[in-house]
């Protein structure tokens, strides 16, 4: 019990700009190690996984890159609450 009651949920899209599109997938996947350290326990398997993600997302990253900057909208949701 958090002591709060949710009043409503609001969407707040974020406009994301990545200045190094070529390293986007690798940085995103590596960030998961902060919350799931086992994710990188086997460096060779992790490298193979990241290489596959980079290959499979290359076209998407290229389509959303203009002027050397990857741009996309990331939906986020905020729960607006009040104390109970």
């Amino acid at each position: 019990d958090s002591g709060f009651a949710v009043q409503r949920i609001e969407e707040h899209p974020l406009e994301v700009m990545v200045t190094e599109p070529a390293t986007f997938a690798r940085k995103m996947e590596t960030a998961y190690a902060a919350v799931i350290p086992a994710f990188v326990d086997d460096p060779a398997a992790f490298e193979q996984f990241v290489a596959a993600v980079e290959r499979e997302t290359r076209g998407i990253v290229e389509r959303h890159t203009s002027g050397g900057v990857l741009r996309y909208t990331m939906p986020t949701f905020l729960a607006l609450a009040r104390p109970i």
Side-chain angles (χ1 to χ4, degrees), residues 56-72:
E56 292 179 20
T57 60
R58 187 170 291 122
I60 295 168
V61 170
E62 288 172 356
R63 280 194 303 279
H64 293 278
T65 299
S66 176
V69 178
L70 168 63
R71 290 178 165 82
Y72 63 95

Side-chain angles (χ1 to χ4, degrees), residues 18-32:
V18 180
T19 58
E20 297 177 6
T23 61
F24 172 71
R26 177 169 300 275
K27 287 179 180 176
M28 291 298 294
E29 298 305 325
T30 302
Y32 297 139

